[in-house]
Amino acid sequence: MPDGVRDLLRRVEEVRGLSQRQESSEALDPADAPALLETLGELVEELEHSHRRLIETNVQLVSLREVASHLTASIDTGETTRTVTRYLCRAFGFRHVSLLLVNRERGRLEGTWTHRAKDREHSVALELPLVGDSGSLTRAFWLNRSVVQHHARRHPPAIVPDGHPLMDVIAQVQSSLCVPLQRSHSVLPPSECAELCGARCMMGDTFLLAPPPGAAAERWAADREERQRQCLSCELMPMLGVLAIAREPGAPALQAGDVTLLESIALSIAPMIENARLNQELRQSQRFLEHLLDSMSSGHAAVNMRGEILALNRAAETLLGFHEAEVLGRPFGEVFGPDGEALVHAALEHGREVQREETLLRARDGAPVSVSLTTSLLRNERRAVYGAIATFADLTPLKQAEEQARRLDRLAALGRFTSSVAHEIRNPLTGIAAGVQYLSRGLAAEGPVREHVAFILSEIKRLDRIVQDLFEITHPRGLQLRATPLEDTVRRSAQVLQALIESRGIRLEIAVAPRVPVVPHDQDQLEQVLINLIKNAIEASPQGAAVRIAIEPAAVTSAARGARGPGAPGVQVRVEDQGSGIAPEHLKTIFEPFFTTKPGGTGLGLYISHDIVKRHGGALTIASEPGRGTTFTLELPLDPPGGNP
């Protein structure tokens, strides 16, 4: 029995040797009952203390996991490391805690150093280069093992540049403990990484610790940095970062229990931090894809196998007038019309992808939009189709450019025609007019012959006006801009038409808003525009009706100013009649040359007026409904470009 007691007492001393107790105990006599009882009491106390400490540590680790579980919502590395280090200071009573995570792209450890001073935590951002030697933190990273330094002034945890906010804090540190954090078990351990990477692998290699003496030190440093860069670019890199604590002079020395505790904390938080970083990278990738799609000039719509819309980029929203939120889950054809739906379903059901096929999509207001549409199938990693993407570009600018090219071709042909026949027409017309006037001298003052002669002369004048208008179109005069009140030009134009106004019994009402700015314009050419607009309004209005002219400040629209931007300050003139209005089918061609609805009209007046206003940098638009009259709106900017286009 005494031999069994001796063996038990020997085991007691061995267990005590594992604790942090430094005092030595004398050998006990198995026959000394009081000494045995005292020893048993001490063992019970130590066991109770160990259990309490274990329960406390477990509670702290559970709380730490709860904190770490909220890290998935953190937006960046700084927020993640700041949250963890502040918690460790409060929950475990650490005076100095640092958590740095690897940024392989930059080749750095990035994170936070938190220290307690006057019962408050102070967190400072810390970055250390991983190429070279920046202290115990980077050494623990490359060695992939815990590093304890009892002389931190000779071996500081971090080497920071002069003026760094942590320079004085680190200088006060007496000892430090740095523990590496590893990624999940899906990554190979360092030993297997080294086998796959070969002799150049840096992980866990004591090659890092100290340079050789003499001239070989420089080659050693260069070789070490080259290997470090290689490891940072390796996909098998197992390291996540480093967790460290530090103590100031006068604090208890770091013991084996501190290493065990910090390693347990590191093992507990590593998966949570990795998940937080993966979530941050995922959100960053999602934002990148969203920005990439939204920066594209072409519209993109993704659909599932049922043809229901999954995503819509900004260009598609702008082109078609829909917001992504209101179309998600709705069938493509229900939103954008049957033409586009047919091409999308051909891709989904039969695998027939199309490239830049012209079709029509339906905008929010129901208007058809001509687009060039491309379809492509969405496939998963097993090449199975799970949806499609419709990419479409607006063809409206192209069609407008084509129409403009056709218009310029017509104008060029018209110019050649005008130049070649003008003299051949005007000279005979002048001779015919002179001859008819000479013959009319011998005719009676009244009678059918006199009427025929008057008709011939009026037609000669009309032909002369057509030729003159053709010259105005093909050889426009340069603008002579002067800053004069637009009201003066309007009233001069109305005065020219006074006889027509009185003959038709029209009331001409001119309303001028207060503080209308002076707009630079070519008074003669703009007077030609206003005479044309007012004359048309008078002729379209019934006997005794009113023609209203309003002059007021306005924000010149982007359509009026092209690339000069929307909402530019300017002035607008509205000419409103009480006529029968214009049919909708005529509104699209109202400003085209030779289009007219008036008997005997040339169809060039509005075309020339539109061109003059456009050369002022403005716009001439029309609004009309059958039976409700017509309103022409003339917009002029305060800073016109001037001259010919």
Short mmCIF file of all heavy atoms in Angstrom, two decimals, residues 316-370:
data_model
loop_
_atom_site.label_atom_id
_atom_site.label_comp_id
_atom_site.label_asym_id
_atom_site.label_seq_id
_atom_site.Cartn_x
_atom_site.Cartn_y
_atom_site.Cartn_z
N ALA A 316 -30.26 49.23 -69.61
CA ALA A 316 -31.58 48.73 -69.99
C ALA A 316 -32.68 49.55 -69.32
O ALA A 316 -33.71 49.85 -69.93
CB ALA A 316 -31.70 47.26 -69.61
N GLU A 317 -32.47 49.92 -68.05
CA GLU A 317 -33.46 50.75 -67.36
C GLU A 317 -33.62 52.10 -68.06
O GLU A 317 -34.74 52.58 -68.27
CB GLU A 317 -33.02 50.97 -65.90
CG GLU A 317 -33.07 49.74 -65.04
CD GLU A 317 -32.62 50.02 -63.62
OE1 GLU A 317 -31.80 50.95 -63.43
OE2 GLU A 317 -33.07 49.33 -62.71
N THR A 318 -32.50 52.71 -68.44
CA THR A 318 -32.56 54.02 -69.09
C THR A 318 -33.22 53.93 -70.45
O THR A 318 -34.03 54.79 -70.82
CB THR A 318 -31.14 54.58 -69.23
OG1 THR A 318 -30.53 54.67 -67.93
CG2 THR A 318 -31.15 55.97 -69.85
N LEU A 319 -32.88 52.90 -71.21
CA LEU A 319 -33.39 52.78 -72.58
C LEU A 319 -34.88 52.51 -72.60
O LEU A 319 -35.62 53.12 -73.38
CB LEU A 319 -32.64 51.67 -73.31
CG LEU A 319 -33.12 51.33 -74.72
CD1 LEU A 319 -32.99 52.55 -75.63
CD2 LEU A 319 -32.33 50.16 -75.29
N LEU A 320 -35.35 51.62 -71.72
CA LEU A 320 -36.74 51.16 -71.79
C LEU A 320 -37.64 51.78 -70.73
O LEU A 320 -38.86 51.61 -70.79
CB LEU A 320 -36.79 49.64 -71.69
CG LEU A 320 -36.00 48.91 -72.80
CD1 LEU A 320 -35.99 47.41 -72.55
CD2 LEU A 320 -36.58 49.22 -74.17
N GLY A 321 -37.05 52.49 -69.75
CA GLY A 321 -37.87 53.22 -68.79
C GLY A 321 -38.35 52.41 -67.61
O GLY A 321 -39.14 52.90 -66.80
N PHE A 322 -37.90 51.15 -67.46
CA PHE A 322 -38.30 50.32 -66.33
C PHE A 322 -37.23 50.37 -65.25
O PHE A 322 -36.05 50.59 -65.52
CB PHE A 322 -38.47 48.86 -66.77
CG PHE A 322 -39.64 48.62 -67.68
CD1 PHE A 322 -39.46 48.56 -69.04
CD2 PHE A 322 -40.91 48.44 -67.17
CE1 PHE A 322 -40.52 48.33 -69.90
CE2 PHE A 322 -41.99 48.22 -68.02
CZ PHE A 322 -41.80 48.16 -69.39
N HIS A 323 -37.66 50.12 -63.99
CA HIS A 323 -36.73 49.92 -62.90
C HIS A 323 -36.60 48.41 -62.65
O HIS A 323 -37.58 47.67 -62.77
CB HIS A 323 -37.20 50.61 -61.62
CG HIS A 323 -37.19 52.11 -61.73
ND1 HIS A 323 -36.03 52.84 -61.79
CD2 HIS A 323 -38.21 53.01 -61.79
CE1 HIS A 323 -36.32 54.13 -61.89
NE2 HIS A 323 -37.63 54.25 -61.90
N GLU A 324 -35.40 48.00 -62.29
CA GLU A 324 -35.16 46.57 -62.12
C GLU A 324 -36.12 45.95 -61.11
O GLU A 324 -36.66 44.85 -61.34
CB GLU A 324 -33.71 46.33 -61.67
CG GLU A 324 -33.35 44.86 -61.55
CD GLU A 324 -31.94 44.64 -61.02
OE1 GLU A 324 -31.58 45.34 -60.05
OE2 GLU A 324 -31.22 43.80 -61.58
N ALA A 325 -36.38 46.65 -60.00
CA ALA A 325 -37.21 46.07 -58.94
C ALA A 325 -38.61 45.75 -59.42
O ALA A 325 -39.23 44.78 -58.95
CB ALA A 325 -37.27 47.03 -57.75
N GLU A 326 -39.15 46.51 -60.36
CA GLU A 326 -40.53 46.30 -60.78
C GLU A 326 -40.69 45.22 -61.84
O GLU A 326 -41.81 44.82 -62.15
CB GLU A 326 -41.14 47.61 -61.28
CG GLU A 326 -40.48 48.18 -62.53
CD GLU A 326 -41.09 49.50 -62.94
OE1 GLU A 326 -42.32 49.64 -62.84
OE2 GLU A 326 -40.33 50.40 -63.36
N VAL A 327 -39.58 44.75 -62.43
CA VAL A 327 -39.69 43.73 -63.48
C VAL A 327 -39.15 42.39 -63.04
O VAL A 327 -39.32 41.40 -63.77
CB VAL A 327 -38.97 44.19 -64.76
CG1 VAL A 327 -39.56 45.48 -65.27
CG2 VAL A 327 -37.47 44.33 -64.54
N LEU A 328 -38.49 42.30 -61.89
CA LEU A 328 -37.92 41.04 -61.44
C LEU A 328 -39.02 39.99 -61.28
O LEU A 328 -40.06 40.24 -60.66
CB LEU A 328 -37.18 41.21 -60.12
CG LEU A 328 -35.89 42.05 -60.17
CD1 LEU A 328 -35.25 42.12 -58.79
CD2 LEU A 328 -34.91 41.50 -61.18
N GLY A 329 -38.78 38.81 -61.85
CA GLY A 329 -39.75 37.72 -61.75
C GLY A 329 -40.85 37.75 -62.79
O GLY A 329 -41.62 36.79 -62.90
N ARG A 330 -40.94 38.82 -63.57
CA ARG A 330 -41.98 38.90 -64.59
C ARG A 330 -41.46 38.32 -65.91
O ARG A 330 -40.28 38.38 -66.20
CB ARG A 330 -42.40 40.35 -64.80
CG ARG A 330 -43.09 40.97 -63.59
CD ARG A 330 -43.35 42.45 -63.79
NE ARG A 330 -44.18 42.72 -64.95
CZ ARG A 330 -44.46 43.95 -65.39
NH1 ARG A 330 -43.96 45.01 -64.76
NH2 ARG A 330 -45.23 44.12 -66.45
N PRO A 331 -42.35 37.72 -66.73
CA PRO A 331 -41.91 37.16 -68.01
C PRO A 331 -41.35 38.24 -68.92
O PRO A 331 -41.84 39.37 -68.96
CB PRO A 331 -43.21 36.56 -68.59
CG PRO A 331 -44.09 36.33 -67.41
CD PRO A 331 -43.77 37.43 -66.44
N PHE A 332 -40.31 37.89 -69.66
CA PHE A 332 -39.62 38.83 -70.55
C PHE A 332 -40.61 39.43 -71.55
O PHE A 332 -40.62 40.64 -71.79
CB PHE A 332 -38.49 38.11 -71.28
CG PHE A 332 -37.60 39.03 -72.08
CD1 PHE A 332 -36.47 39.59 -71.52
CD2 PHE A 332 -37.89 39.33 -73.40
CE1 PHE A 332 -35.65 40.44 -72.25
CE2 PHE A 332 -37.08 40.17 -74.15
CZ PHE A 332 -35.95 40.73 -73.56
N GLY A 333 -41.44 38.58 -72.15
CA GLY A 333 -42.37 39.06 -73.17
C GLY A 333 -43.44 39.97 -72.61
O GLY A 333 -43.87 40.92 -73.27
N GLU A 334 -43.87 39.71 -71.37
CA GLU A 334 -44.89 40.56 -70.75
C GLU A 334 -44.39 41.97 -70.56
O GLU A 334 -45.14 42.94 -70.65
CB GLU A 334 -45.30 39.95 -69.40
CG GLU A 334 -46.30 40.79 -68.61
CD GLU A 334 -46.55 40.20 -67.23
OE1 GLU A 334 -46.84 38.98 -67.16
OE2 GLU A 334 -46.42 40.94 -66.24
N VAL A 335 -43.08 42.11 -70.31
CA VAL A 335 -42.49 43.43 -70.06
C VAL A 335 -42.05 44.09 -71.35
O VAL A 335 -42.38 45.25 -71.62
CB VAL A 335 -41.30 43.30 -69.08
CG1 VAL A 335 -40.67 44.67 -68.84
CG2 VAL A 335 -41.76 42.69 -67.77
N PHE A 336 -41.32 43.36 -72.18
CA PHE A 336 -40.64 43.97 -73.33
C PHE A 336 -41.25 43.63 -74.68
O PHE A 336 -40.72 44.06 -75.71
CB PHE A 336 -39.16 43.57 -73.34
CG PHE A 336 -38.43 43.96 -72.08
CD1 PHE A 336 -37.68 43.04 -71.37
CD2 PHE A 336 -38.50 45.26 -71.60
CE1 PHE A 336 -37.01 43.40 -70.22
CE2 PHE A 336 -37.83 45.63 -70.45
CZ PHE A 336 -37.08 44.70 -69.75
N GLY A 337 -42.34 42.89 -74.70
CA GLY A 337 -43.02 42.65 -75.96
C GLY A 337 -42.71 41.31 -76.59
O GLY A 337 -41.74 40.64 -76.24
N PRO A 338 -43.54 40.89 -77.55
CA PRO A 338 -43.42 39.55 -78.13
C PRO A 338 -42.22 39.36 -79.05
O PRO A 338 -41.73 38.24 -79.19
CB PRO A 338 -44.74 39.40 -78.90
CG PRO A 338 -45.15 40.81 -79.23
CD PRO A 338 -44.69 41.64 -78.09
N ASP A 339 -41.75 40.41 -79.72
CA ASP A 339 -40.65 40.24 -80.67
C ASP A 339 -39.38 39.79 -79.97
O ASP A 339 -38.72 38.83 -80.39
CB ASP A 339 -40.41 41.54 -81.43
CG ASP A 339 -41.57 41.92 -82.33
OD1 ASP A 339 -42.44 41.05 -82.56
OD2 ASP A 339 -41.63 43.07 -82.80
N GLY A 340 -39.02 40.49 -78.90
CA GLY A 340 -37.85 40.09 -78.14
C GLY A 340 -38.05 38.76 -77.43
O GLY A 340 -37.12 37.95 -77.31
N GLU A 341 -39.27 38.50 -76.97
CA GLU A 341 -39.56 37.24 -76.28
C GLU A 341 -39.32 36.05 -77.21
O GLU A 341 -38.80 35.01 -76.78
CB GLU A 341 -41.01 37.24 -75.79
CG GLU A 341 -41.40 35.97 -75.05
CD GLU A 341 -42.87 35.95 -74.68
OE1 GLU A 341 -43.66 36.56 -75.41
OE2 GLU A 341 -43.21 35.32 -73.67
N ALA A 342 -39.68 36.17 -78.48
CA ALA A 342 -39.49 35.07 -79.42
C ALA A 342 -38.01 34.70 -79.54
O ALA A 342 -37.66 33.51 -79.57
CB ALA A 342 -40.06 35.45 -80.79
N LEU A 343 -37.13 35.69 -79.58
CA LEU A 343 -35.70 35.40 -79.70
C LEU A 343 -35.15 34.80 -78.41
O LEU A 343 -34.30 33.90 -78.46
CB LEU A 343 -34.95 36.69 -80.04
CG LEU A 343 -35.29 37.33 -81.39
CD1 LEU A 343 -34.53 38.64 -81.57
CD2 LEU A 343 -34.99 36.37 -82.53
N VAL A 344 -35.63 35.28 -77.25
CA VAL A 344 -35.16 34.73 -75.98
C VAL A 344 -35.61 33.28 -75.81
O VAL A 344 -34.83 32.41 -75.41
CB VAL A 344 -35.67 35.60 -74.81
CG1 VAL A 344 -35.38 34.93 -73.47
CG2 VAL A 344 -35.00 36.97 -74.84
N HIS A 345 -36.87 32.98 -76.14
CA HIS A 345 -37.37 31.61 -76.00
C HIS A 345 -36.72 30.68 -77.02
O HIS A 345 -36.56 29.48 -76.75
CB HIS A 345 -38.89 31.59 -76.14
CG HIS A 345 -39.59 31.92 -74.85
ND1 HIS A 345 -39.70 31.02 -73.81
CD2 HIS A 345 -40.18 33.06 -74.42
CE1 HIS A 345 -40.36 31.58 -72.81
NE2 HIS A 345 -40.65 32.83 -73.15
N ALA A 346 -36.34 31.19 -78.18
CA ALA A 346 -35.62 30.36 -79.15
C ALA A 346 -34.29 29.91 -78.56
O ALA A 346 -33.84 28.78 -78.80
CB ALA A 346 -35.41 31.14 -80.44
N ALA A 347 -33.64 30.78 -77.79
CA ALA A 347 -32.38 30.41 -77.14
C ALA A 347 -32.62 29.41 -76.00
O ALA A 347 -31.90 28.42 -75.86
CB ALA A 347 -31.68 31.66 -76.61
N LEU A 348 -33.65 29.66 -75.18
CA LEU A 348 -33.91 28.79 -74.03
C LEU A 348 -34.40 27.41 -74.45
O LEU A 348 -33.98 26.39 -73.89
CB LEU A 348 -34.95 29.45 -73.11
CG LEU A 348 -34.50 30.71 -72.37
CD1 LEU A 348 -35.67 31.33 -71.64
CD2 LEU A 348 -33.39 30.39 -71.39
N GLU A 349 -35.29 27.35 -75.41
CA GLU A 349 -35.93 26.08 -75.76
C GLU A 349 -35.18 25.30 -76.82
O GLU A 349 -35.18 24.06 -76.82
CB GLU A 349 -37.36 26.35 -76.24
CG GLU A 349 -38.25 26.96 -75.15
CD GLU A 349 -39.62 27.36 -75.68
OE1 GLU A 349 -39.90 27.06 -76.87
OE2 GLU A 349 -40.40 27.94 -74.91
N HIS A 350 -34.52 25.99 -77.75
CA HIS A 350 -33.88 25.30 -78.86
C HIS A 350 -32.38 25.58 -78.94
O HIS A 350 -31.72 25.05 -79.84
CB HIS A 350 -34.54 25.70 -80.18
CG HIS A 350 -36.04 25.53 -80.17
ND1 HIS A 350 -36.65 24.29 -80.11
CD2 HIS A 350 -37.04 26.45 -80.18
CE1 HIS A 350 -37.96 24.45 -80.11
NE2 HIS A 350 -38.23 25.75 -80.14
N GLY A 351 -31.86 26.40 -78.04
CA GLY A 351 -30.43 26.69 -78.06
C GLY A 351 -30.00 27.57 -79.22
O GLY A 351 -28.80 27.64 -79.53
N ARG A 352 -30.95 28.26 -79.86
CA ARG A 352 -30.61 29.10 -81.01
C ARG A 352 -30.25 30.51 -80.52
O ARG A 352 -31.12 31.31 -80.20
CB ARG A 352 -31.78 29.16 -82.00
CG ARG A 352 -32.03 27.87 -82.74
CD ARG A 352 -32.83 28.12 -84.01
NE ARG A 352 -34.12 28.72 -83.73
CZ ARG A 352 -35.25 28.02 -83.56
NH1 ARG A 352 -35.22 26.70 -83.64
NH2 ARG A 352 -36.38 28.63 -83.31
N GLU A 353 -28.97 30.76 -80.44
CA GLU A 353 -28.50 32.08 -80.05
C GLU A 353 -28.40 32.96 -81.29
O GLU A 353 -28.10 32.48 -82.39
CB GLU A 353 -27.13 31.98 -79.37
CG GLU A 353 -27.15 31.15 -78.09
CD GLU A 353 -25.78 30.97 -77.49
OE1 GLU A 353 -24.80 30.89 -78.27
OE2 GLU A 353 -25.67 30.89 -76.26
N VAL A 354 -28.65 34.24 -81.12
CA VAL A 354 -28.61 35.18 -82.24
C VAL A 354 -27.56 36.25 -81.94
O VAL A 354 -27.24 36.54 -80.78
CB VAL A 354 -29.98 35.83 -82.50
CG1 VAL A 354 -30.99 34.78 -82.90
CG2 VAL A 354 -30.47 36.61 -81.28
N GLN A 355 -27.02 36.83 -83.01
CA GLN A 355 -26.02 37.88 -82.89
C GLN A 355 -26.51 39.14 -83.59
O GLN A 355 -26.78 39.14 -84.80
CB GLN A 355 -24.70 37.43 -83.55
CG GLN A 355 -24.01 36.27 -82.85
CD GLN A 355 -23.37 36.69 -81.54
OE1 GLN A 355 -22.95 37.85 -81.39
NE2 GLN A 355 -23.30 35.78 -80.60
N ARG A 356 -26.71 40.19 -82.81
CA ARG A 356 -27.04 41.53 -83.34
C ARG A 356 -28.20 41.48 -84.34
O ARG A 356 -28.11 42.01 -85.45
CB ARG A 356 -25.80 42.17 -83.97
CG ARG A 356 -24.70 42.47 -82.98
CD ARG A 356 -23.53 43.16 -83.62
NE ARG A 356 -22.86 42.26 -84.56
CZ ARG A 356 -21.95 41.37 -84.21
NH1 ARG A 356 -21.60 41.25 -82.94
NH2 ARG A 356 -21.38 40.61 -85.11
N GLU A 357 -29.27 40.83 -83.93
CA GLU A 357 -30.45 40.77 -84.80
C GLU A 357 -31.37 41.96 -84.48
O GLU A 357 -31.69 42.22 -83.33
CB GLU A 357 -31.21 39.46 -84.58
CG GLU A 357 -32.41 39.31 -85.51
CD GLU A 357 -32.84 37.87 -85.65
OE1 GLU A 357 -31.98 36.98 -85.56
OE2 GLU A 357 -34.04 37.64 -85.86
N GLU A 358 -31.78 42.65 -85.52
CA GLU A 358 -32.63 43.82 -85.33
C GLU A 358 -34.04 43.38 -84.98
O GLU A 358 -34.64 42.53 -85.65
CB GLU A 358 -32.65 44.67 -86.60
CG GLU A 358 -33.42 45.96 -86.44
CD GLU A 358 -33.30 46.89 -87.63
OE1 GLU A 358 -32.37 46.68 -88.44
OE2 GLU A 358 -34.13 47.80 -87.74
N THR A 359 -34.57 43.95 -83.91
CA THR A 359 -35.92 43.63 -83.48
C THR A 359 -36.48 44.82 -82.73
O THR A 359 -35.82 45.85 -82.57
CB THR A 359 -35.92 42.37 -82.58
OG1 THR A 359 -37.28 41.98 -82.33
CG2 THR A 359 -35.24 42.64 -81.25
N LEU A 360 -37.72 44.67 -82.25
CA LEU A 360 -38.39 45.74 -81.51
C LEU A 360 -38.66 45.29 -80.09
O LEU A 360 -39.15 44.18 -79.86
CB LEU A 360 -39.71 46.13 -82.18
CG LEU A 360 -39.62 46.82 -83.54
CD1 LEU A 360 -41.02 47.04 -84.10
CD2 LEU A 360 -38.89 48.14 -83.45
N LEU A 361 -38.31 46.16 -79.13
CA LEU A 361 -38.69 45.96 -77.73
C LEU A 361 -39.68 47.04 -77.35
O LEU A 361 -39.74 48.10 -77.98
CB LEU A 361 -37.47 46.02 -76.81
CG LEU A 361 -36.40 44.94 -77.01
CD1 LEU A 361 -35.28 45.13 -75.99
CD2 LEU A 361 -36.99 43.55 -76.90
N ARG A 362 -40.44 46.77 -76.31
CA ARG A 362 -41.48 47.71 -75.88
C ARG A 362 -41.01 48.46 -74.65
O ARG A 362 -40.60 47.86 -73.66
CB ARG A 362 -42.77 46.95 -75.58
CG ARG A 362 -43.97 47.85 -75.26
CD ARG A 362 -45.23 47.01 -75.16
NE ARG A 362 -45.10 46.00 -74.13
CZ ARG A 362 -45.71 44.81 -74.16
NH1 ARG A 362 -46.47 44.49 -75.19
NH2 ARG A 362 -45.56 43.95 -73.17
N ALA A 363 -41.05 49.79 -74.74
CA ALA A 363 -40.66 50.63 -73.61
C ALA A 363 -41.81 50.72 -72.60
O ALA A 363 -42.90 50.21 -72.82
CB ALA A 363 -40.27 52.03 -74.09
N ARG A 364 -41.53 51.37 -71.49
CA ARG A 364 -42.54 51.48 -70.42
C ARG A 364 -43.80 52.16 -70.90
O ARG A 364 -44.91 51.79 -70.51
CB ARG A 364 -41.94 52.24 -69.24
CG ARG A 364 -42.86 52.32 -68.03
CD ARG A 364 -42.28 53.23 -66.97
NE ARG A 364 -43.12 53.24 -65.79
CZ ARG A 364 -42.97 52.43 -64.76
NH1 ARG A 364 -41.99 51.54 -64.77
NH2 ARG A 364 -43.77 52.49 -63.72
N ASP A 365 -43.67 53.18 -71.76
CA ASP A 365 -44.84 53.90 -72.25
C ASP A 365 -45.51 53.20 -73.42
O ASP A 365 -46.44 53.75 -74.03
CB ASP A 365 -44.44 55.33 -72.65
CG ASP A 365 -43.36 55.35 -73.73
OD1 ASP A 365 -42.95 54.27 -74.20
OD2 ASP A 365 -42.90 56.46 -74.08
N GLY A 366 -45.05 52.00 -73.75
CA GLY A 366 -45.64 51.25 -74.84
C GLY A 366 -45.04 51.53 -76.20
O GLY A 366 -45.40 50.86 -77.18
N ALA A 367 -44.14 52.50 -76.30
CA ALA A 367 -43.55 52.85 -77.59
C ALA A 367 -42.55 51.78 -78.01
O ALA A 367 -41.80 51.26 -77.18
CB ALA A 367 -42.85 54.20 -77.49
N PRO A 368 -42.53 51.44 -79.29
CA PRO A 368 -41.55 50.46 -79.76
C PRO A 368 -40.15 51.08 -79.83
O PRO A 368 -39.99 52.24 -80.20
CB PRO A 368 -42.06 50.08 -81.15
CG PRO A 368 -42.84 51.29 -81.60
CD PRO A 368 -43.44 51.88 -80.36
N VAL A 369 -39.15 50.30 -79.46
CA VAL A 369 -37.76 50.74 -79.50
C VAL A 369 -36.99 49.77 -80.39
O VAL A 369 -36.94 48.57 -80.11
CB VAL A 369 -37.13 50.79 -78.10
CG1 VAL A 369 -35.69 51.24 -78.17
CG2 VAL A 369 -37.94 51.71 -77.18
N SER A 370 -36.41 50.29 -81.45
CA SER A 370 -35.64 49.45 -82.36
C SER A 370 -34.27 49.17 -81.75
O SER A 370 -33.54 50.09 -81.39
CB SER A 370 -35.48 50.15 -83.71
OG SER A 370 -34.73 49.35 -84.60
#
